[in-house]
Amino acid sequence: MAFSFTRQDFPEGFMFGAATAAYQIEGSKFGKCGSSHWDTWAATPGNVVGADDGSVACDHYHRYAEDLDIIKSGGFDAYRFSTSWARVMPDGKTINQDGLDYYDRLVDAITERGIKPNLTLYHWELPSAMADIGGWMNRETPLRFGDMTRAVIERIGDRVERVATINEPWCVAWLSHFLGGQAPGLRDIRAAMRAMHHIQLAHGTAMQVLRDHGQDNLGIVLNLGHGEPASQNADDIAATKTFDAIHTRWFMDSLFKGHYPKDMIDAVGQHMPDGYENDMDLISQPLDWLGINYYTRGIVKAAPEQPWPHMDGVEGPLPKTQMGWEIYPEGLEMLLKRIHAEYTFDLPLMVTENGMANDDTIENGRCDDPVRVKYFDDHLQAVLRCIADGVPMQGYFGWSLLDNYEWAFGYEKRFGLVHVDYETQVRTPKASFEAFRQAISTNR
Ligand code: GCO
């Protein structure tokens, strides 16, 4: 099972990487890591499949050298990882030296293998101590995130290739405070709007700390929504515009135009924190690149009988992954071309996450995942079409290096290029990993 492309089909210097996140793979019970809001949310019955948490996960805390050897064996250029705030500052403000020591060892081990460390500062690992004061509903939290940023970048900033401030602010704020799908599991428009601003303020605050520290390769990672109307009737088209405001324009307008979208402020601006307008310059300071996470499209229909946003999702007809997400590579192409044309222009773009969950099994020591090989091939062909159209694509990261803790779905959804037996922690590279190795480890 091979891809239809090789590294030679991509521009010189295009980066192929594998991505993970701290809480999903490290093992939060190791290394004096503190409690996070994921530990407590998972402990509450009904929130997470099997009430699973990240206390052990893939034991990357102890097995990172083996995992980095796997990345190297695949010919990948880069490793995207995150630093857990709960590990660096268990009480939200006091440095845990064991935590910084771990990330120091990790970055050295990455660079020793000739791999580029791509750091994400926040991938949802909020210390319980910060949750205690209201988490992203409280303006204090983004300000304290600046302190965590400073602690991390002072320790490993000299060796990382690039830094992303926040992973998926839409998930941090909307999914977690309006839809209730992730920790802290709130379903409240006022909580959501305050979090939607404060997570952007956290980005701006961290950017300032990073620039003051001389960092010059900075970005943010967004899971923008590619929404399509369920029909061409006016209500569905209007609902899709609202979907677009919540999933895409809220972030892109604030980051690149210095204001939030008027239609959303008109609808729910009364729930915004006082004085938010004063933060917009900090939020919209220049980036060096933008990361886009893409998995599938959203199909939107009007729900006028419901309160704002007056919309519902619709299940689409296309083949789906283990998550129930449609496989739709065309959406990636449309999203990247739109972002390039409307917002980013010459700013380098990266696909910082793309991949699929599949009910992978080991048969005779092998893990064949032809559906994932085709998924990656089709989405990387979409990236090639964007490049051919002049979109400055700088890299692509497969999600994920390892099967791991898939948040509210626990460990039953397998996204890895590498299969993990959670009983034995044995890693087995899948056919999709081998397809990458064949395609990208070829010397130019
Ligand atoms: C995300 C997160 C990842 C998920 C992956 C699959 O994009 O939601 O960055 O942590 O595990 O996307 O849902």
Side-chain angles (χ1 to χ4, degrees):
M1 284 172 268
F3 291 148
S4 58
F5 64 85
T6 68
R7 184 185 282 276
Q8 276 79 357
D9 297 308
F10 287 80
E12 177 75 31
F14 185 89
M15 196 160 42
F16 290 95
T20 66
Y23 192 79
Q24 294 180 270
I25 65 167
E26 286 178 356
S28 63
K29 76 176 188 180
F30 307 124
K32 300 179 192 160
C33 180
S35 169
S36 78
H37 65 166
W38 273 97
D39 295 305
T40 55
W41 200 64
T44 309
N47 287 340
V48 176
V49 171
D52 283 332
D53 63 24
S55 53
V56 176
C58 306
D59 191 23
H60 189 67
Y61 181 82
H62 296 107
R63 299 168 188 265
Y64 64 87
E66 173 193 356
D67 294 335
L68 295 174
D69 286 341
I70 292 172
I71 294 175
K72 183 173 171 55
S73 73
F76 291 95
D77 308 298
Y79 176 41
R80 180 179 174 234
F81 67 99
S82 74
T83 44
S84 166
W85 190 352
R87 181 177 298 286
V88 174
M89 295 173 163
D91 66 357
K93 59 180 186 289
T94 311
I95 290 173
N96 164 28
Q97 284 305 336
D98 286 20
L100 288 181
D101 291 350
Y102 165 66
Y103 291 118
D104 202 51
R105 288 196 302 276
L106 178 67
V107 166
D108 279 346
I110 295 170
T111 54
E112 279 160 15
R113 290 164 174 79
I115 300 166
K116 296 183 175 75
N118 278 235
L119 165 63
T120 300
L121 285 162
Y122 186 73
H123 201 125
W124 313 349
E125 307 93 352
L126 185 75
S128 294
M130 300 310 297
D132 293 347
I133 64 168
W136 296 110
M137 293 181 284
N138 185 338
R139 185 180 181 86
E140 180 70 12
T141 300
L143 304 181
R144 297 268 279 283
F145 180 67
D147 299 336
M148 180 267 188
T149 297
R150 184 173 298 104
V152 168
I153 213 64
E154 285 177 352
R155 187 66 182 270
I156 62 174
D158 58 325
R159 285 156 284 160
V160 295
E161 199 259 345
R162 68 183 65 223
V163 186
T165 53
I166 307 288
N167 176 74
E168 300 194 350
W170 179 86
C171 286
V172 175
W174 198 259
L175 178 60
S176 305
H177 294 79
F178 185 76
L179 299 176
Q182 294 193 337
L186 297 179
R187 294 177 49 78
D188 180 297
I189 184 63
R190 187 170 180 82
M193 293 312 296
R194 298 167 105 72
M196 286 283 268
H197 177 64
H198 289 147
I199 194 59
Q200 295 293 86
L201 176 59
H203 162 72
T205 303
M207 283 290 292
Q208 200 55 58
V209 170
L210 293 163
R211 291 296 189 206
D212 292 348
H213 191 264
Q215 297 295 315
D216 59 2
N217 200 4
L218 305 180
I220 186 172
V221 171
L222 304 177
N223 58 319
L224 302 177
H226 174 73
E228 298 180 359
S231 77
Q232 288 307 305
N233 84 42
D235 279 357
D236 288 348
I237 290 172
T240 306
K241 181 171 182 282
T242 304
F243 173 96
D244 189 58
I246 297 167
H247 285 255
T248 296
R249 289 184 285 117
W250 182 264
F251 305 102
M252 297 304 288
D253 287 6
S254 55
L255 290 166
F256 291 93
K257 297 179 178 177
H259 62 76
Y260 290 122
K262 186 178 182 310
D263 51 341
M264 194 153 159
I265 292 294
D266 287 349
V268 288
Q270 68 272 29
H271 302 303
M272 292 288 282
D274 293 342
Y276 74 87
E277 300 89 342
N278 303 326
D279 300 326
M280 301 317 290
D281 288 346
L282 189 68
I283 290 169
S284 60
Q285 61 184 284
L287 299 171
D288 302 307
W289 54 274
L290 176 68
I292 303 286
N293 291 354
Y294 176 85
Y295 291 92
T296 188
R297 66 176 170 179
I299 301 176
V300 184
K301 72 171 183 179
E305 73 288 352
Q306 292 179 22
W308 190 90
H310 309 308
M311 67 177 180
D312 270 332
V314 175
E315 185 171 333
L318 300 177
K320 296 173 184 64
T321 69
Q322 191 189 23
M323 293 294 282
W325 299 345
E326 281 186 307
I327 299 175
Y328 191 59
E330 300 80 359
L332 175 59
E333 181 178 354
M334 288 187 267
L335 179 61
L336 292 173
K337 287 180 177 177
R338 174 196 172 188
I339 294 304
H340 164 66
E342 291 183 21
Y343 293 96
T344 58
F345 312 117
D346 295 338
L347 187 76
L349 300 181
M350 297 215 295
V351 175
T352 30
E353 285 181 31
N354 178 242
M356 64 167 280
N358 191 52
D359 186 13
D360 301 314
T361 56
I362 302 280
E363 310 290 337
N364 305 319
R366 287 182 52 80
C367 187
D368 286 332
D369 55 342
V371 65
R372 186 181 282 108
V373 173
K374 184 171 184 335
Y375 181 101
F376 280 126
D377 198 12
D378 290 345
H379 286 80
L380 275 150
Q381 286 294 349
V383 172
L384 278 172
R385 292 193 295 273
C386 290
I387 292 169
D389 255 16
V391 181
M393 298 305 303
Q394 202 173 50
Y396 174 97
F397 287 78
W399 182 270
S400 179
L401 170 66
L402 303 172
D403 293 338
N404 60 49
Y405 182 71
E406 181 46 36
W407 308 109
F409 296 90
Y411 294 97
E412 71 171 25
K413 308 298 186 190
R414 292 182 176 272
F415 274 91
L417 285 159
V418 177
H419 179 279
V420 175
D421 178 326
Y422 296 111
E423 299 300 318
T424 64
Q425 291 293 352
V426 167
R427 276 79 161 134
T428 307
K430 301 175 188 177
S432 52
F433 178 90
E434 180 54 23
F436 268 107
R437 193 192 63 75
Q438 287 175 22
I440 65 176
S441 56
T442 314
N443 297 322
R444 290 192 68 81

